[in-house]
Amino acid sequence: MAAKSWRLLRQLPWYGLMLVAVFAIGLPLFWVATGSLKTTREIYTFPPVWLPQHPRWDNFSAAWHAAPFGRFYLNSIIVTLADTAAKLFFALTTAYALVFLNIRGRNLVFLFVLAALFVPVQVTLLPNYLTVGRLGWINTYFGLIVPMMPVAFGTFLFRQHFRTLSREVLDAAVIDGCGHWRLLWDVVLPMSRPVAVTVGLLALVGRWNDFLWPLVVTNTVEMRTLPVGITYLYQVEGVQNWGPIFAGTLFVMVPVLLVYIVAQRWIVSGITSGAVKG
Amino acid sequence: MVQREDHGMLRVQLTRRRLMAGLVGMSAATLLAACGQNQSASPTANAPAVQAATPTPAPATAASAATPSKTMAATGAPAVVTQTGSKVKVTYWGSFSGNLGEAEQEVVRRFNASQNDVEVTYQYQGSYEDTAQKLTQALAAKQTPDIVLLSDVWWFKFYLNDVLQPLNDFFAQAKIDLSDYVDPLINEGTRKGQVYWVPFARSTPLFYYNKAAWSEAGLPDRGPETWDEFLQWVPKLLKQDGGKTTRFAFAHPNAASYAAWVFQPVVWQWGGKYSDPDFTIHLQEQPAVEAGRFWQRSITEGWAVSSKDPNADFLNGVTAAMLASTGSLAGLEQSAKFPVGTAMLPKGPAGFGCCTGGSGLAILKGKPAEVQRAAFQYVAFATSPEMTTFWSQKTGYMPVRKSAAQSTAMQQYFQNHPNFKTAVDQLPKTRPQDAARVWIPNGDQIIGKGLERVTIQREDPQNVFNDVARTLTDAAKPVVEQLKRREG
């Protein structure tokens, strides 16, 4: 009994830390969610009003009607799904080649892939834009999707994971007459599900929230994605109308949060995979 | 039991033929996908070759703007049923969204409805900064719009790079009298006698005060005539609670909320300036430093607060007064729990001073003549007395035409909106901003950060302004060089 309470006492600081983390992450979310139901006056009041006195649901309709959010959703879904699928495919196949094919200089190739991880997005922005411009892809889905397809990080994750896979299983499959494609889809992939989910989720969240590239590469309202769409609610000068802005922010956040909650049990085991040699 | 291969390789034959087959399959897939894309990529693609060289008269007056000007093509064929395909298409990039964006769309809609030759498409591109950066990239990729909205601190960069079209010939052809534009506004966009940047959404700083706090303090319902008078009012406006100030008399914006813009008129009121038009910096000289000392005293004496968002602090009653943009007027009146008062800026030891701000329209160089003419037609329409009246009443920006302020529509509007009248009355007294803030790259932020050192960190203004002047001089060098090449 004493030992038990002693352990609890020892764990208290950790629980305290966790509480702080929950607070740091949860408070902004809470503020956006409650703010989306407040009047501008309530939002600006100090000391803060934590709960809206008279929830204003019309902030949502005001935001929805201020810009074609239905179209933004469609664009975001198209771009996110296309890119996530492409990223998964390329990361899988590249990593497979780097681990299981006897290609001379494959470590050099992997070094290049790693090098790509160190190049910030902002550096590639202009060259990408010029390329897309020459291809005539500005303000098209192609321009939105194609330049974002390659994924160094996903390749890296898959490669590290593949190297830990049990050789025996793979050998057995080859002896049974598996070709590369079947080996990849039927043997390697099922054993790499957490990593695949991780790569997929990271790509999904990254693309869903991406602001800079979609802003740069699109010109018309019909081609905008959600994060760029929110800026249609923002005033360039003067007093911001925060209620609808918060409501619009929720349009972007909620789908990602839901996906995250559903898939989170995979993601943790995914990120740490390859960290320990099994 | 399987023997492990020593080299750890799976021995599946990847033959050349298989590899080729795989590659062909993949490229076929991409080709198929490529068929589905939409081809209307470049905004300037297939610009219809319209009329011959006769200029399309732009609406010269408000009256003709309202009546559709059906011009005939040079061939003399009357424009009976114009197909949409024969219209000149003009792309316009701007930074207005929200309520401002709706007003902007309305201006474009009215223009398109007013005539049959030109169709303008308004494309929102994010904030002033986003729009300027997008234009930079578009220039590199040669995919520019025809008209672009540029803010007071951005247009000069594009002028320096010689991508903006001089517009005097267009104004002359359209018989628009440039002297009807408010002088400081049009002068700011003029170089070497040529207009490059036409005022559209222009603002000025304004003295805002909380009327409830004023009456509580027993002050007359007006702004202070001078800063000295304001200093006498300050003790009455301050509220303290147990040694803690709960209401300040005044609020300063920080660098990010354009402190350098608000401080610009204060420097003038003390008889100083940031710089000359030739980029000689004067910020470190006596009058400007005195203004800096006054700004610092407001903090050390405890009657002003340095604020991240002066608008928010004003609405919450944290401060009783502030200097802020006329563009905030409508929003403040809607959100305030108390009656909002406005006044002209207080005078300093050297008298009155007030600057301009906001954004204007420019036309890109290197486009076909008929596209440029069409683009100018829109610029003339958007800044016509009638439309500038509509726009300023909708937004709180200043009417950019002198005749607009005198119109009956405007006069009636003033009666119901005395605060807006204050702003318009102050407009003729404004001066174009000093080069150091608007033409030196990042000049606004360099000065703003210096002001933060003076107010928040309470450093000696002379030392700080010496530092800032050095930084500004260095930052101005490339601009001076470029300007020499550009203007000789």
Side-chain angles (χ1 to χ4, degrees), chain B residues 134-202:
Chain B
K134 274 209 68 165
L135 184 62
T136 308
Q137 288 176 329
L139 284 162
K142 298 189 175 61
Q143 302 229 354
T144 49
D146 308 309
I147 308 171
V148 64
L149 179 97
L150 294 168
S151 79
D152 55 351
V153 300
W154 281 105
W155 77 271
F156 194 72
K157 174 191 158 181
F158 295 101
Y159 161 78
L160 272 184
N161 287 297
D162 201 11
V163 297
L164 304 182
Q165 178 70 26
L167 300 173
N168 287 37
D169 291 352
F170 291 91
F171 276 108
Q173 268 175 7
K175 299 195 176 52
I176 295 173
D177 184 5
L178 276 171
S179 67
D180 188 44
Y181 283 86
V182 176
D183 297 321
L185 300 184
I186 194 84
N187 291 347
E188 219 169 344
T190 305
R191 297 294 297 187
K192 298 253 160 188
Q194 282 282 351
V195 177
Y196 290 87
W197 184 58
V198 184
F200 173 63
R202 304 303 306 275

Side-chain angles (χ1 to χ4, degrees), chain B residues 325-344:
Chain B
S325 165
T326 53
S328 305
L329 181 56
L332 288 170
E333 284 182 334
Q334 275 163 19
S335 309
K337 288 177 262 196
F338 48 84
V340 175
T342 60
M344 290 196 198

Side-chain angles (χ1 to χ4, degrees), chain B residues 317-328:
Chain B
V318 174
T319 179
M322 63 171 177
L323 300 186
S325 165
T326 53
S328 305

